[in-house]
Amino acid sequence: MTHLTIKDIAKYSGTSVSTVSRVLNNHPDVSEKARAQVMQTIEQYGFVPNNSARNLVIRESDTIAVVVRGIANPFFTRIIKTIERAIYSAGYSMSLHQIGSCEDELMTAAMVEREKRLRGIIFLGGRFNYAPADVAMLRVPFVCCTYANTFGALERDSFSSVAIDDKREAYRAVRLLLERGHRRIAALIETEGGNSISQLRYEGYRAALEDAGVPFEAALIECAGSFEMEDAYRAATRLQERTEFTALFAISDAMAMAAMKSLADEGKRVPEDCSVIAIDGLEMTNYCVPTLTTLEQPAEEMALECVRILEGLLQGDGKNSHVFMETRLREGTSVLSIK
Amino acid sequence: MTHLTIKDIAKYSGTSVSTVSRVLNNHPDVSEKARAQVMQTIEQYGFVPNNSARNLVIRESDTIAVVVRGIANPFFTRIIKTIERAIYSAGYSMSLHQIGSCEDELMTAAMVEREKRLRGIIFLGGRFNYAPADVAMLRVPFVCCTYANTFGALERDSFSSVAIDDKREAYRAVRLLLERGHRRIAALIETEGGNSISQLRYEGYRAALEDAGVPFEAALIECAGSFEMEDAYRAATRLQERTEFTALFAISDAMAMAAMKSLADEGKRVPEDCSVIAIDGLEMTNYCVPTLTTLEQPAEEMALECVRILEGLLQGDGKNSHVFMETRLREGTSVLSIK
């Protein structure tokens, strides 16, 4: 059976790839004229203008895989949504693969690559320490989304990444607490010393204290052992039993929300008795009481940038690149100035 | 190239399909002996015991698709995790497809079915009103997860479903408020009169009031227009500007959390000035202050039941069935007795 690509249809109908994509995906924002042109082309070449045509025109070799590690991460939901839309608009199809946080995203990607003859891969979340041998089995371009493989040993021009600078953003969050007069600032992290986002954000915390001349105190650090709210809640409780502090930096919004609950259960008011700040900018922490002050990751922009880089690589006019995006301070009511 | 199925390997190695699956997926809970047997068989038949073997043994025709509608629904994350594990344990592979809440899950499923020669489909979220013509294009068994196609016209033995009885559970939630002395009970719903989960839960609200002899009052109903927290927040604010009430029933946890924020912003304390109850049992509402009293859906059990039904259908020893599961009351601190 003849396979028309989305590009063929664009050419024959005198429209663009993204217009054809929108028509085939039933997007509302297509002019009636363009829709008619696309439909006419499809009919003319013998394809019915419905989902089976759509099935035929998107060939398997137009597939970009999105491999999501850490299915429970609510931050990823927003990113996936935007990535999906951008992939379709660029004329590709998307194959989504969610893996547990202990599984190996590279193995999954290599398997999927063989099965589906992928064009490219976007890793959403992953290990921070790939070595060249690890990625040798991948034969298509890939973009690391939300991490920059900081602890790894890959050649910088052999892959792409779009992320925030975790260390710098943690530094910003803690500096904000320092600027508002806090000196005893606790840190709620996942684990110390790992090759992870937790370590990077922890390093930012330490750098901010150091630059402000505030001595580091080990008693103010507590490891939750995971990013789960349940574990973060218990870690925050241990922290309060052990020492006093006027502010808490949590490495993620979800952990901060659990910590605020722990503070409330211990009879402390946020922010009067303890200020709380985090990084992520989830929707839910905009609706808790008090709302969380947090550095919001630009989810949509990161998603679009990943697809843009991959599209450039696939079309031959782009090259691997590494983009750090900045967070935006979303001021809630969880931080008090005590100056 | 020869394709060994997972069943072949189980047979040749004298183990079970689920053992082979666990070995291939690197699950920890496999005895060393069983692992050695499986590995030996794989090597004997010329396959290397790594992911490329795994790739070969899981044939495309062993694929079960999970089509998720409403990617932003945090309740689905837990369900997907369990479904995925159960599908692999049963010796099948899973293909995950997320679609927007306005897209048609049946079309997506039909496309995927053709592309991947599916064995079966699990719909996670979907329209409540399928007609026989709508599903005619599906040629494999399917299970509706979290909805029972209540407003549809399908023969009951032509499909399966696993859900909670939304009307009955809403009835339970509102009856709890009535039993604790509330009479002016507001309802925060998505939309009135649609063929949706919102309508079923709204009917449960009305039935509970009616059975308790509490006259219905239209001013106490507010439609958010969506399930989004942003819209729920605004709807809760409109409700408070219009009328007085001592308790609020929200049709979902996320909407309840947004409503609690709106109550706080209007200077009302939960539960002293207004009690709040909902249905879902999300993790986040267990960490907000106050914690939400809610009817928790048995996510894991629902997921396992879907796969169990589908597995029975595929093995030929099961038949289509419809299972209603019960929620569990998760008592938070958001409901006050005013008797």
Side-chain angles (χ1 to χ4, degrees), chain A residues 2-75:
Chain A
T2 316
H3 281 223
L4 268 193
T5 68
I6 204 163
K7 282 175 191 157
D8 296 329
I9 295 187
K11 203 169 84 184
Y12 300 154
S13 63
T15 60
S16 68
V17 165
S18 63
T19 300
V20 176
S21 168
R22 279 199 291 272
V23 171
L24 293 173
N25 287 291
N26 275 321
H27 272 240
D29 51 342
V30 182
S31 74
E32 271 319 302
K33 189 178 160 225
R35 190 185 300 276
Q37 279 172 292
V38 170
M39 287 311 198
Q40 202 188 343
T41 303
I42 290 172
E43 282 175 44
Q44 189 178 334
Y45 287 88
F47 296 102
V48 281
N50 61 14
N51 59 303
S52 75
R54 184 177 178 289
N55 187 18
L56 290 172
V57 295
I58 296 180
R59 294 184 304 185
E60 288 212 330
S61 59
D62 276 332
T63 302
I64 291 172
V66 177
V67 179
V68 186
R69 187 185 191 188
I71 183 177
N73 190 334
F75 171 59

Side-chain angles (χ1 to χ4, degrees), chain B residues 4 22 92 112 129 132 136 139 141 174 191-192 196 198 202 219 236 267 271 289 308 310 315:
Chain B
L4 269 193
R22 280 198 292 270
Y92 297 93
V112 173
N129 56 347
R139 289 160 301 190
V174 176
T191 182
E192 215 175 323
S196 73
S198 177
Y202 174 58
V289 182
R308 199 194 59 74
L310 203 50
Q315 292 177 344

Side-chain angles (χ1 to χ4, degrees), chain B residues 1-313:
Chain B
M1 189 175 278
T2 316
H3 280 225
L4 269 193
T5 67
I6 204 163
K7 281 174 193 159
D8 296 329
I9 296 187
K11 204 169 84 184
Y12 300 154
S13 64
T15 60
S16 68
V17 164
S18 63
T19 300
V20 176
S21 168
R22 280 198 292 270
V23 171
L24 294 173
N25 286 292
N26 276 320
H27 272 238
D29 52 343
V30 184
S31 75
E32 271 318 301
K33 190 180 158 222
R35 191 184 301 275
Q37 280 173 293
V38 170
M39 287 312 199
Q40 202 187 342
T41 303
I42 290 171
E43 283 175 43
Q44 189 178 333
Y45 286 88
F47 295 102
V48 281
N50 61 13
N51 60 304
S52 74
R54 186 178 176 289
N55 188 17
L56 290 172
V57 295
I58 296 179
R59 294 185 305 188
E60 289 213 329
S61 59
D62 276 331
T63 302
I64 291 172
V66 177
V67 180
V68 186
R69 187 184 192 189
I71 183 175
N73 189 335
F75 172 58
F76 287 167
T77 312
R78 274 168 69 202
I79 297 188
I80 294 173
K81 248 175 159 168
T82 308
I83 285 181
E84 184 165 23
R85 216 169 290 145
I87 285 177
Y88 279 105
S89 294
Y92 297 93
S93 73
M94 179 178 112
S95 170
L96 183 65
H97 305 268
Q98 307 215 33
I99 64 172
S101 52
C102 297
E103 290 173 79
D104 190 320
E105 64 273 9
L106 296 178
M107 283 226 178
T108 301
M111 275 163 40
V112 173
E113 187 189 318
R114 250 162 273 180
E115 226 171 75
K116 311 213 173 181
R117 292 177 292 128
L118 295 180
R119 296 294 305 279
I121 304 164
I122 295 173
F123 290 107
L124 187 48
R127 286 194 287 129
F128 281 51
N129 56 347
Y130 301 148
D134 297 330
V135 300
M137 50 187 166
L138 302 179
R139 289 160 301 190
V140 296
F142 65 95
V143 183
C144 299
C145 184
T146 72
Y147 64 114
N149 199 38
T150 315
F151 300 101
L154 299 185
E155 296 289 339
R156 277 180 65 80
D157 61 0
S158 69
F159 75 111
S160 292
S161 68
V162 176
I164 60 166
D165 184 335
D166 289 293
K167 182 172 173 180
R168 188 180 61 194
E169 300 297 347
Y171 184 99
R172 277 183 63 196
V174 176
R175 198 183 52 195
L176 185 143
L177 295 173
L178 290 161
E179 283 167 359
R180 301 205 182 164
H182 295 277
R183 285 295 171 272
R184 286 197 67 76
I185 302 172
L188 180 57
I189 66 178
E190 178 220 10
T191 182
E192 215 175 323
N195 294 325
S196 73
I197 206 164
S198 177
Q199 177 65 14
L200 289 173
R201 294 185 181 177
Y202 174 58
E203 287 173 10
Y205 161 85
R206 297 207 42 174
L209 291 188
E210 196 178 323
D211 285 358
V214 175
F216 169 74
E217 198 177 308
L220 286 167
I221 311 302
E222 188 63 46
C223 298
S226 80
F227 292 92
E228 302 292 326
M229 296 180 88
E230 200 182 339
D231 292 325
Y233 177 89
R234 280 196 289 258
T237 307
R238 289 196 298 273
L239 201 48
Q240 292 173 76
E241 284 165 0
R242 185 171 64 226
T243 187
E244 302 272 319
F245 46 92
T246 65
L248 172 74
F249 163 65
I251 58 163
S252 82
D253 266 34
M255 291 169 78
M257 189 168 155
M260 290 202 289
K261 177 69 169 63
S262 162
L263 287 162
D265 288 349
E266 299 290 324
K268 295 203 182 70
R269 292 161 304 159
V270 176
E272 293 83 352
D273 301 321
C274 182
S275 293
V276 178
I277 197 168
I279 300 177
D280 271 351
L282 299 185
E283 185 184 39
M284 67 178 181
T285 54
N286 213 8
Y287 290 96
C288 54
V289 182
T291 49
L292 180 66
T293 293
T294 182
L295 297 180
E296 189 177 357
Q297 300 206 47
E300 278 74 24
E301 291 85 340
M302 287 166 79
L304 292 174
E305 185 64 16
C306 285
V307 177
R308 199 194 59 74
I309 291 174
L310 203 50
E311 201 185 349
L313 291 166

